[in-house]
Amino acid sequence: LMLALRRGYHGVGIEIGKADVKECCDYMTRYLEFHRIKHKKSESSLTVRGKLGGRETKFVLSDTAENFKAGDTRAMRMIQGDTRDAQALLKTESVHLMVTDVPYGVQKGTAGKHDSIGGTLSAALCGWYDALKPGGVLAMSFNTYVTRRADLERMCALAGFEMVETGNLEHWVEQAINRDVILARRA
């Protein structure tokens, strides 16, 4: 998200962990204040299917006070919610690039339920696809010891994505993690 802002883009993130979202927002607040960057912070509740679906913290900022006043701003939105609700949390065709780091464990607890990584991804991929602009790309890193590339590619294809040839991006991280990356494009 910080890289998007530094490059002049808007950024939005979805994370289910309340403590992780708080840490990110606290860091952003300190960063903006330390560097005396003109900004406005707002918080709101988000509704998904008629129920509370998450909380959003939004930072609107600009490089100068004059640009801020003129409306020449960038925004970073941090959503504390379930990525499987991306379709409801993000506007359709609003994202150019989506980056995700698939859980590295065997099981991932989400919203108080334990399901497989594949189950979480299958539920999320359609929402991610809808959020991407036509030609937008999903970059997904994963642990090859837990998740197979062929399985991820199959799930992406079922959601409507086209796979992008990347060459070999696989690399060893530690004893339990061998990371790889795939890219999938919205047609």
Side-chain angles (χ1 to χ4, degrees):
L1 296 176
M2 287 293 288
L3 182 58
L5 291 174
R6 291 181 71 141
R7 300 279 177 145
Y9 300 108
H10 302 288
V12 60
I14 300 173
E15 168 61 45
I16 199 164
K18 190 175 185 177
D20 293 332
V21 172
K22 182 181 181 330
E23 181 179 346
C24 175
C25 293
D26 288 349
Y27 172 82
M28 189 65 179
T29 299
R30 287 189 311 272
Y31 178 88
L32 294 170
E33 289 172 354
F34 179 80
H35 292 286
R36 298 178 187 225
I37 297 171
K38 180 68 175 165
H39 68 282
K40 179 182 175 187
K41 177 181 173 183
S42 60
E43 296 182 0
S44 60
S45 297
L46 301 173
T47 304
V48 174
R49 292 179 290 283
K51 297 180 181 178
L52 179 64
R55 299 240 351 122
E56 176 183 82
T57 303
K58 183 176 183 179
F59 296 89
V60 178
L61 57 120
S62 189
D63 54 349
T64 67
E66 294 80 22
N67 286 345
F68 188 88
K69 189 174 182 179
D72 182 9
T73 60
R74 293 172 299 211
M76 183 185 101
R77 297 170 51 214
M78 191 63 209
I79 298 171
Q80 190 266 312
D82 193 327
T83 194
R84 295 175 294 184
D85 293 328
Q87 196 166 23
L89 296 169
L90 302 173
K91 291 180 182 174
T92 301
E93 297 184 3
S94 64
V95 177
H96 291 279
L97 172 66
M98 187 174 291
V99 179
T100 186
D101 195 18
V102 175
Y104 287 168
V106 176
Q107 298 245 335
K108 174 70 177 170
T110 52
K113 299 177 183 176
H114 289 285
D115 64 0
S116 69
I117 293 169
T120 298
L121 288 175
S122 292
L125 278 164
C126 290
W128 296 349
Y129 184 90
D130 287 345
L132 282 167
K133 292 178 177 283
V137 174
L138 167 66
M140 193 177 341
S141 68
F142 61 98
N143 183 0
T144 64
Y145 295 147
V146 176
T147 307
R148 292 189 177 110
R149 172 182 275 276
D151 293 339
L152 287 178
E153 289 177 346
R154 181 184 47 76
M155 285 187 280
C156 286
L158 287 172
F161 286 97
E162 299 172 346
M163 298 313 300
V164 177
E165 190 61 42
T166 60
N168 184 9
L169 299 175
E170 188 173 331
H171 57 282
W172 184 85
V173 176
E174 64 169 36
Q175 180 180 347
I177 300 172
N178 189 61
R179 184 181 294 132
D180 199 354
V181 178
I182 63 171
L183 301 178
R185 180 183 305 116
R186 178 181 172 157

